[in-house]
Amino acid sequence: MKDAEMQIPTYDDMLAAHERIKPYIRRTPIRTSDYLNELTGAQLFFKCENFQEPGAFKVRGASNAVFGLSEEQAKLGVATHSSGNHASCLSYAAMRRGIPCNVVMPRTAPQAKKDTVARYGGRITECDPSTSSREATFAKVQAETGGDFVHPYNDPRVIAGQGTCAKEMIEQTDGLDIVVAPIGGGGMISGTCLTLSTLAPETQVIAAEPEQADDAYRSFKTGHIIADDAPKTIADGLLVPLKDLTWHFVSNHVTEIFTASEQEIIDAMKLTWKHLRIVMEPSCAVPLAVILKNPEIFAGRRVGVVVTGGNVDLDKLPWMQK
Amino acid sequence: MKDAEMQIPTYDDMLAAHERIKPYIRRTPIRTSDYLNELTGAQLFFKCENFQEPGAFKVRGASNAVFGLSEEQAKLGVATHSSGNHASCLSYAAMRRGIPCNVVMPRTAPQAKKDTVARYGGRITECDPSTSSREATFAKVQAETGGDFVHPYNDPRVIAGQGTCAKEMIEQTDGLDIVVAPIGGGGMISGTCLTLSTLAPETQVIAAEPEQADDAYRSFKTGHIIADDAPKTIADGLLVPLKDLTWHFVSNHVTEIFTASEQEIIDAMKLTWKHLRIVMEPSCAVPLAVILKNPEIFAGRRVGVVVTGGNVDLDKLPWMQK
């Protein structure tokens, strides 16, 4: 999609997205734990997007983009650059529609991620691990294939798709006081704001971010987008900066952004594995880390937590690498 | 319960158990994975009993025993000997009813297991890690407390409780050709036989056992109970032998018992963590291991798999200990 930057998606776009993608996504369950409720003093509802077939909420936005294409455009397929869950999820959605998907990935991306993209039929073009190489390679791939560019988060179709998750959370609970989700580029947070500002305007949206990649936090506090160059955190799904579309939602609808240290993230991750008994990425542990850290905000409240993804390297768990 | 050995529970006992325990257990979800379906050629339905609050299906049988006690007996509480999930689950059920629970555990049991029992208010009496010490200690504790003995599996109330899991599986799927569950003492398999022989008599019940603790397999093949002394397997929930009540169900209703090697169990465990994204014990991986090993039995069939528990030591995962 070209020139889409400030096409702000609407609540009706989100509703249309939900109808469109329903056959291709799972209505993931909510998990609860009496133990974690006691520990935090809150009532926590964990929405298990790690249980999507390709293992991440990003299948929602990707499916909305893929299944919304005209027949004509669909023949040319889609294209993106990503080394993470968006690449797998866009490949998965394209496979479900039976159309081409071209992905530009840095040659340094983990082999497991490349394997997943390939398993779903995504065609990988490798680039050097730099912005200039990625952009040049992507421009070439797109010119050659004519694939529709589906940005990982700064795309109204993607944000509308991610917003379907918050709709399900409200339907599956008896209402929530707060929804907490991790923030990287801001796709999930933006979709959550889009949905809740109409469906449940009294529900606060709180974003959770690693201290070591706190560009969204600093953007929020200063009032303009701050983009860091190559931050380092174990929460590797949260490295990218806000863009204009997601900044629109963050600056207008987010109540607060809280941060957590690397150790707090690891501790929260282990706690979730142990008591919810689900496999999830470090990025998804940031919300529980900030809930534990800020009891004055969360205790006594009904809190929805988005468990964004479950693609981890089981041979390299963070609490075993000290 | 005394002299209960050959009080064979009935289908109505299972129905009554389900009504009795509903407020105290979770109706756990079914997980599926397109990837694992493709890999096995079967349609697999994983019943996530690892998502019970105390992390194991044993909360069903334990709750049925605890909430079926008369008021008079309830004042004296319950008692058992176990170093595994039964101890935690019985303590949990007793805590929910607000009655005493005494547990005899070997002093060599992992501290994490003792901590869980204690967290649920179970009173631990330690014994030496031998059958004679355990029996003498247990007799003493029972005489002192008057607690009702709830055997981990050879108890009709426990078997009727475990049978409620198969009832939910049938309700949550559109029927199954086969149910596969791990077999240790045979409580879950017996409950499954009890339920399915009436509710879905065309559904086969297949048991899965570690090669290195294959006493149920050998019992099944020879036609009488064989009990091994201290078998060693990573599937530490499956070390105990069949007893007369569970042998009744195994010998009359089980279609087949298949075994898997330690490496096959570890591989299946990792595969499940990766693609279902759930945390489960090695014991629960034995069914998938035998499904992968016997495609001629399972391919093309609708197969229910009981994921029996999720209490693992996250610092000692088997694929990291080579």
Side-chain angles (χ1 to χ4, degrees):
Chain A
M1 176 163 288
K2 284 134 198 154
D3 307 321
E5 277 70 25
M6 286 310 285
Q7 289 180 18
I8 295 167
T10 65
Y11 187 75
D12 283 345
D13 291 336
M14 185 282 296
L15 291 177
H18 210 201
E19 284 309 306
R20 182 178 291 129
I21 68 180
K22 260 182 186 162
Y24 312 106
I25 63 163
R26 290 165 193 258
R27 190 178 173 87
T28 56
I30 302 271
R31 286 276 294 133
T32 62
S33 157
D34 294 350
Y35 180 83
L36 293 179
N37 287 348
E38 278 173 39
L39 190 68
T40 59
Q43 239 188 306
L44 304 179
F45 301 86
F46 292 86
K47 175 72 167 162
C48 292
E49 289 295 292
N50 53 332
F51 289 176
Q52 294 291 355
E53 181 69 23
F57 76 87
K58 286 172 186 260
V59 70
R60 295 175 183 268
S63 299
N64 190 42
V66 163
F67 285 94
L69 293 177
S70 67
E71 283 300 325
E72 195 182 10
Q73 177 59 50
K75 283 180 192 141
L76 302 174
V78 287
T80 198
H81 48 73
S82 157
S83 57
N85 282 325
H86 178 64
S88 312
C89 288
L90 190 67
S91 302
Y92 176 80
M95 178 188 76
R96 294 293 301 269
R97 186 160 178 183
I99 67 175
C101 176
N102 279 279
V103 181
V104 172
M105 298 180 89
R107 62 184 100 255
T108 51
Q111 190 59 40
K113 302 254 175 189
K114 295 181 190 168
D115 291 347
T116 306
V117 169
R119 175 149 60 80
Y120 293 140
R123 297 179 200 151
I124 298 168
T125 305
E126 292 190 341
C127 64
D128 291 330
S130 72
T131 304
S132 56
S133 168
R134 187 193 69 202
E135 289 181 352
T137 310
F138 183 73
K140 188 156 170 282
V141 166
Q142 205 188 7
E144 281 171 12
T145 63
D148 188 73
F149 178 32
V150 183
H151 189 279
Y153 51 93
N154 204 50
D155 182 309
R157 305 165 300 176
V158 170
I159 291 173
Q162 319 305 32
T164 62
C165 179
K167 175 167 175 275
E168 292 178 15
M169 287 178 88
I170 296 296
E171 290 166 357
Q172 290 170 301
T173 59
D174 292 327
L176 295 166
D177 298 316
I178 304 171
V179 169
V180 197
I183 190 161
M188 169 51 75
I189 281 287
S190 295
T192 303
C193 290
L194 166 61
T195 296
L196 296 184
S197 60
T198 295
L199 183 64
E202 72 292 349
T203 303
Q204 297 184 346
V205 178
I206 292 181
E209 194 173 37
E211 269 175 24
Q212 292 187 198
D214 67 344
D215 51 288
Y217 172 80
R218 285 178 290 129
S219 304
F220 189 71
K221 293 299 176 190
T222 56
H224 61 88
I225 298 180
I226 297 174
D228 285 341
D229 194 43
K232 285 210 190 314
T233 166
I234 190 169
D236 61 357
L238 308 178
L239 300 177
V240 290
L242 297 170
K243 297 266 185 188
D244 53 3
L245 254 188
T246 53
W247 173 242
H248 166 81
F249 286 99
V250 169
S251 56
N252 284 295
H253 295 291
V254 164
T255 301
E256 189 54 270
I257 300 182
F258 291 112
T259 62
S261 71
E262 298 293 288
Q263 190 58 53
E264 287 163 346
I265 295 168
I266 294 172
D267 291 347
M269 180 178 173
K270 196 173 179 188
L271 209 52
T272 316
W273 284 47
K274 185 170 162 75
H275 292 284
L276 284 187
R277 302 180 185 93
I278 59 174
V279 169
M280 63 170 203
E281 300 171 19
S283 303
C284 327
V286 191
L288 181 59
V290 306
I291 290 168
L292 284 164
K293 205 172 170 177
N294 299 280
E296 73 285 3
I297 303 291
F298 297 99
R301 318 293 294 279
R302 295 171 58 82
V303 182
V305 178
V306 185
V307 180
T308 45
N311 295 320
V312 287
D313 185 342
L314 293 172
D315 293 314
K316 290 184 188 170
L317 297 174
W319 53 80
M320 306 187 95
Q321 302 185 317
K322 291 181 189 167
Chain B
M1 177 164 285
K2 284 133 196 152
D3 307 322
E5 277 71 24
M6 286 310 283
Q7 289 179 20
I8 294 168
T10 65
Y11 187 75
D12 284 345
D13 292 335
M14 184 280 297
L15 291 178
H18 210 200
E19 284 308 307
R20 182 178 292 129
I21 69 180
K22 261 183 188 163
Y24 312 106
I25 63 163
R26 289 164 194 257
R27 189 177 174 89
T28 56
I30 303 270
R31 285 277 294 133
T32 62
S33 157
D34 294 350
Y35 180 84
L36 293 178
N37 287 348
E38 277 173 38
L39 190 69
T40 59
Q43 237 188 308
L44 304 180
F45 300 86
F46 292 86
K47 174 73 166 161
C48 292
E49 289 295 293
N50 53 331
F51 289 176
Q52 294 290 352
E53 181 69 23
F57 76 88
K58 285 172 188 257
V59 70
R60 296 175 182 269
S63 298
N64 190 40
V66 162
F67 285 93
L69 293 178
S70 68
E71 283 299 326
E72 194 182 12
Q73 177 58 51
K75 285 180 192 143
L76 301 174
V78 287
T80 198
H81 48 73
S82 157
S83 56
N85 282 325
H86 179 64
S88 312
C89 288
L90 191 66
S91 302
Y92 175 81
M95 178 187 75
R96 294 294 301 267
R97 186 160 176 183
I99 68 175
C101 177
N102 279 279
V103 180
V104 172
M105 297 180 89
R107 63 184 97 254
T108 52
Q111 191 58 40
K113 302 253 176 190
K114 292 179 192 169
D115 291 346
T116 305
V117 169
R119 176 150 58 82
Y120 294 140
R123 296 178 201 152
I124 298 168
T125 306
E126 293 191 339
C127 65
D128 291 330
S130 73
T131 304
S132 57
S133 169
R134 186 193 70 203
E135 288 181 351
T137 310
F138 183 74
K140 190 157 168 284
V141 166
Q142 205 187 8
E144 282 171 11
T145 64
D148 188 74
F149 178 33
V150 183
H151 189 278
Y153 51 93
N154 204 51
D155 181 309
R157 304 166 299 177
V158 170
I159 292 173
Q162 320 305 34
T164 61
C165 179
K167 175 168 175 277
E168 291 178 15
M169 287 179 87
I170 296 297
E171 290 167 357
Q172 290 170 300
T173 59
D174 291 326
L176 296 166
D177 298 317
I178 304 172
V179 169
V180 197
I183 190 162
M188 170 49 75
I189 280 287
S190 295
T192 303
C193 291
L194 165 61
T195 296
L196 296 185
S197 59
T198 296
L199 183 64
E202 72 292 350
T203 304
Q204 296 184 347
V205 178
I206 292 182
E209 195 175 35
E211 269 175 25
Q212 291 187 198
D214 69 343
D215 51 287
Y217 172 80
R218 285 178 290 128
S219 302
F220 189 72
K221 293 299 177 191
T222 56
H224 60 88
I225 297 179
I226 295 173
D228 286 340
D229 195 42
K232 285 211 191 309
T233 166
I234 191 169
D236 61 356
L238 308 178
L239 301 175
V240 290
L242 297 170
K243 296 268 185 186
D244 52 5
L245 254 188
T246 52
W247 172 242
H248 166 82
F249 286 100
V250 169
S251 56
N252 284 295
H253 295 291
V254 164
T255 301
E256 188 55 88
I257 299 182
F258 292 111
T259 62
S261 71
E262 298 294 288
Q263 190 57 52
E264 288 162 347
I265 295 168
I266 294 172
D267 291 346
M269 181 178 172
K270 197 172 177 186
L271 209 51
T272 316
W273 283 46
K274 185 171 162 73
H275 292 284
L276 284 187
R277 303 181 184 92
I278 59 174
V279 169
M280 62 170 204
E281 299 171 20
S283 304
C284 327
V286 190
L288 181 60
V290 308
I291 290 167
L292 284 164
K293 204 173 171 176
N294 299 279
E296 72 287 2
I297 304 292
F298 296 99
R301 317 295 293 279
R302 294 170 59 82
V303 182
V305 178
V306 184
V307 180
T308 46
N311 294 320
V312 288
D313 184 342
L314 293 172
D315 294 313
K316 290 184 187 168
L317 297 174
W319 53 80
M320 306 187 96
Q321 302 185 317
K322 288 181 190 167

